[in-house]
Amino acid sequence: MVNAVTEHASMREEVRQLWPEIAWIDDAKLREQVTDTWVLALKRSTLKPDDLKQIPFTLLVPNCPVSFMEHKRCVVHIARAGATAMKEFMGRALPVNMDTVIAGAILADVGKLLEYELGPDGKAQQSERGEALRHPFTGVALALECGVPDAVCHIIAAHAAEGDLVKRSTEAFIVHHADFMAYQPFKNSQNIKMK
Ligand SMILES: [Fe+2]
């Protein structure tokens, strides 16, 4: 029991180190729910925090040169900057909830911890579960289990192509476009500079 408690506390610390951006969330309860969701995902995943700094952020780009954490953190930074500009210039007409944007961006790909696994060659591959359920679905399941509010779960559900069939909230549009502007340039191999 003591071991389980210690392990849980150390996983929370690992999540805080992976995601300094969690501290940007003003609401303390939401901060905890976001942290809990990442801890739960790590507990259910075969991937370790260090793997997230190595594996590519997508399997859809051959030899993708950017890691999962580099891409994910970049998206959170883009989403916050975009939301800040929208609030500054258009906030009078278009309310934007900054906590929802940040939490949604941090959680958008949490389901990839169940969608991906390391293959026998040590490279990331899609898991059996991932073939049945892409990360927007597993991400929502993990987040709901941790009490994450529906407005944030909506972003997880609608951030990717599946969300094109959904009437996105303002916050979901912001995260969707932040995610895609940091993804789509990689689909043209001429844009990629390999190290
Ligand atoms: Fe995604």
Side-chain angles (χ1 to χ4, degrees):
M1 182 66 189
V2 174
N3 276 350
V5 171
T6 317
E7 190 196 52
H8 186 78
S10 82
M11 287 183 89
R12 290 181 69 80
E13 186 47 40
E14 283 181 314
V15 167
R16 274 191 282 268
Q17 284 181 16
L18 275 181
W19 282 112
E21 294 79 8
I22 289 176
W24 290 351
I25 299 169
D26 281 336
D27 184 274
K29 191 171 164 198
L30 183 57
R31 243 180 357 249
E32 292 308 298
Q33 290 162 338
V34 169
T35 308
D36 287 345
T37 307
W38 269 92
V39 168
L40 182 62
L42 282 165
K43 281 183 179 168
R44 302 238 172 110
S45 179
T46 56
L47 299 170
K48 304 285 170 238
D50 279 347
D51 295 328
L52 304 179
K53 297 173 190 166
Q54 308 294 334
I55 62 168
F57 74 88
T58 179
L59 300 178
L60 304 176
V61 172
N63 302 315
C64 176
V66 173
S67 76
F68 181 90
M69 284 314 299
E70 285 170 332
H71 182 266
K72 294 305 123 201
R73 292 185 63 200
C74 180
V75 168
V76 178
H77 284 244
I78 294 170
R80 184 170 83 149
T84 301
M86 288 175 74
K87 270 177 82 112
E88 185 182 342
F89 291 98
M90 306 193 296
R92 180 184 52 80
L94 188 73
V96 180
N97 185 307
M98 195 61 86
D99 267 6
T100 301
V101 168
I102 295 166
I106 292 173
L107 290 176
D109 273 3
V110 72
K112 279 196 180 172
L113 274 71
L114 303 184
E115 185 180 342
Y116 292 177
E117 64 187 10
L118 296 184
D121 57 358
K123 291 193 173 153
Q125 63 182 32
Q126 201 168 35
S127 67
E128 208 174 304
R129 170 169 271 167
E131 280 174 33
L133 295 166
R134 260 173 44 84
H135 62 277
F137 302 99
T138 45
V140 167
L142 290 165
L144 283 176
E145 219 177 299
C146 296
V148 171
D150 289 351
V152 177
C153 289
H154 168 82
I155 296 178
I156 305 170
H159 79 277
E162 292 88 344
D164 292 348
L165 300 172
V166 171
K167 210 178 244 183
R168 289 186 173 103
S169 67
T170 303
E171 293 81 4
F173 270 121
I174 293 170
V175 174
H176 165 67
H177 285 287
D179 190 30
F180 274 59
M181 71 186 275
Y183 159 56
Q184 286 183 313
F186 290 98
K187 291 179 82 177
N188 178 355
S189 61
Q190 288 180 337
N191 291 335
I192 301 177
K193 185 177 139 211
M194 300 297 283
K195 278 187 232 167

